[in-house]
Amino acid sequence: DGGITQSPKYLFRKEGQNVTLSCEQNLNHDAMYWYRQDPGQGLRLIYYSQIVNDFQKGDIAEGYSVSREKKESFPLTVTSAQKNPTAFYLCASNFVSRTNYGYTFGSGTRLTVV
Amino acid sequence: AQKVTQAQTEISVVEKEDVTLDCVYETRDTTYYLFWYKQPPSGELVFLIRRNSFDEQNEISGRYSWNFQKSTSSFNFTITASQVVDSAVYFCALSLSYSGAGSYQLTFGKGTKLSVIP
């Protein structure tokens, strides 16, 4: 079955470390997105990519970086510049067309700074 | 820019009661999509419904119903005869319609936590 795989499910980071969250999709979707969720804050957009080798900053991109070298993959790196990285991270993808406009979400990665 | 407001932070109801979750949105675009998602404690987002801005017909699906009113920029969600399994966080979201250019990310409200008490 097609879907989005996020790994790991839980991730612990020491202060000052960079960590990378994986997001892989086998849906042949063009666009991919990273969202951050904090309690009471809803989901906020970090980065998105609509085609390979291109990506755009979302509302809260500071302290994060991404790459889109393959259509299937959109990894998110949480850098040491991100002052409060503890959160739940969701990856999503969609196939943008006039007739197909559904989004698929991964099951999320819960990042904790220790 | 788009904005979605869910004024109800938390709601508690007793099982079998009806409950309505409010959603108000803002956008300057004339064509857009509205969504509702459910997030159970496990964290994954479960898609419930998508409405096109051209289609104001209200919809009923089992115990769920949606009331879309462009005049008030609202897209409210009602659960009839609530059950304990309905306990979750519910998100309303908006995205622009396909136009051949631009970006189509979802803009979410902050969510409403629904607790159904047995």
Side-chain angles (χ1 to χ4, degrees):
Chain A
D1 284 343
I4 292 183
T5 301
Q6 287 189 244
S7 61
K9 192 174 180 66
Y10 298 96
L11 186 57
F12 297 90
R13 188 194 96 168
K14 293 183 179 179
E15 289 197 24
Q17 276 184 339
N18 292 356
V19 290
T20 297
L21 282 59
S22 171
C23 177
E24 302 278 333
Q25 54 103 354
N26 60 0
L27 299 162
N28 199 32
H29 283 174
D30 300 308
M32 298 186 74
Y33 309 84
W34 273 106
Y35 288 90
R36 169 179 171 144
Q37 185 179 13
D38 297 281
Q41 290 294 320
L43 283 77
R44 293 180 291 170
L45 183 67
I46 305 172
Y47 267 99
Y48 64 96
S49 168
Q50 298 193 151
I51 57 172
V52 174
N53 293 323
D54 185 59
F55 48 83
Q56 305 296 328
K57 292 182 178 180
D59 301 319
I60 55 166
E62 185 175 349
Y64 299 97
S65 66
V66 293
S67 63
R68 187 85 186 277
E69 298 176 1
K70 299 185 301 182
K71 191 175 186 178
E72 302 79 17
S73 179
F74 191 41
L76 173 73
T77 297
V78 185
T79 73
S80 56
Q82 171 51 238
K83 299 306 178 188
N84 186 20
T86 295
F88 186 56
Y89 292 86
L90 279 164
C91 180
S93 70
N94 75 328
F95 180 65
V96 180
S97 75
R98 294 187 188 280
T99 57
N100 184 346
Y101 212 79
Y103 295 83
T104 300
F105 283 84
S107 56
T109 293
R110 197 167 296 277
L111 174 63
T112 304
V113 173
V114 296
Chain B
Q2 292 77 42
K3 183 178 179 181
V4 177
T5 301
Q6 295 179 255
Q8 303 152 308
T9 305
E10 294 192 41
I11 299 176
S12 290
V13 298
V14 176
E15 198 171 21
K16 297 185 183 178
E17 286 184 347
D18 299 346
V19 58
T20 295
L21 308 183
D22 297 332
C23 174
V24 174
Y25 62 91
E26 296 175 30
T27 180
R28 292 181 179 178
D29 291 88
T30 57
T31 57
Y32 47 88
Y33 285 102
L34 293 165
F35 300 78
W36 276 96
Y37 288 89
K38 174 182 179 180
Q39 186 180 46
S42 56
E44 79 275 16
L45 283 181
V46 178
F47 168 76
L48 296 176
I49 191 172
R50 181 191 78 190
R51 301 300 287 175
N52 188 313
S53 55
F54 289 133
D55 184 3
E56 286 192 73
Q57 198 169 34
N58 292 324
E59 183 165 337
I60 298 175
S61 176
R63 296 185 297 109
Y64 297 165
S65 63
W66 290 270
N67 184 352
F68 176 29
Q69 293 191 348
K70 285 182 77 171
S71 60
T72 56
S73 297
S74 65
F75 186 44
N76 297 336
F77 172 37
T78 296
I79 302 174
T80 303
S82 60
Q83 301 175 1
V84 173
V85 293
D86 296 327
S87 297
V89 179
Y90 290 83
F91 290 99
C92 182
L94 177 149
S95 72
L96 301 182
S97 292
Y98 176 76
S99 62
S103 60
Y104 306 98
Q105 68 267 29
L106 284 166
T107 298
F108 286 87
K110 293 188 176 183
T112 297
K113 182 177 180 181
L114 174 64
S115 299
V116 181
I117 303 165

